[in-house]
Amino acid sequence: MRGLAFWQNWAIVGLSKHRGGDNTFSGLELDELLVAKDAEPRCGMMAIDLTTGAIVHLLRFEGIVTELYDVQVIPAVQKPMALGFQTDEIAQLITLEL
């Protein structure tokens, strides 16, 4: 788990995979549990209903994104997006009020 936010009756949880080649998080009990359940670590986000404890939504990130550092809730946003810093796209979409 990496990042946790609460909104209304939901917990929004961020998930990260292991860091490749980094021994900081190696040898954890989690590694053994994943092997025992024949499961793989995931990167993504989950929405958990706090009244039932059920995972009601799962968004899984695959490919180059393997870690999330935090999650936040931004109420009333209708078209969220993620921007990277490797293209000029970010310079065209971010504005600052003076």
Side-chain angles (χ1 to χ4, degrees):
M1 185 177 115
R2 199 78 180 267
L4 175 64
F6 295 96
W7 182 67
Q8 294 182 355
N9 202 42
W10 310 94
I12 312 302
V13 179
L15 307 170
S16 288
K17 290 183 177 182
H18 290 85
R19 291 181 180 166
D22 185 346
N23 292 329
T24 305
F25 298 105
S26 63
L28 298 175
E29 185 177 341
L30 173 62
D31 296 331
E32 296 172 16
L33 290 171
L34 289 170
V35 171
K37 293 184 179 244
D38 194 27
E40 294 182 16
R42 296 180 179 168
C43 180
M45 296 188 313
M46 296 191 283
I48 300 172
D49 184 326
L50 293 174
T51 56
T52 65
I55 299 170
V56 293
H57 296 287
L58 173 63
L59 175 63
R60 188 171 179 171
F61 300 135
E62 296 184 0
I64 194 166
V65 177
T66 60
E67 290 185 75
L68 295 179
Y69 292 93
D70 198 6
V71 294
Q72 293 295 316
V73 174
I74 308 172
V77 172
Q78 294 182 7
K79 295 183 181 180
M81 66 175 69
L83 297 175
F85 293 101
Q86 296 180 354
T87 67
D88 292 334
E89 179 182 48
I90 196 165
Q92 298 171 8
L93 293 174
I94 294 181
T95 59
L96 301 173
E97 293 183 28
L98 301 175

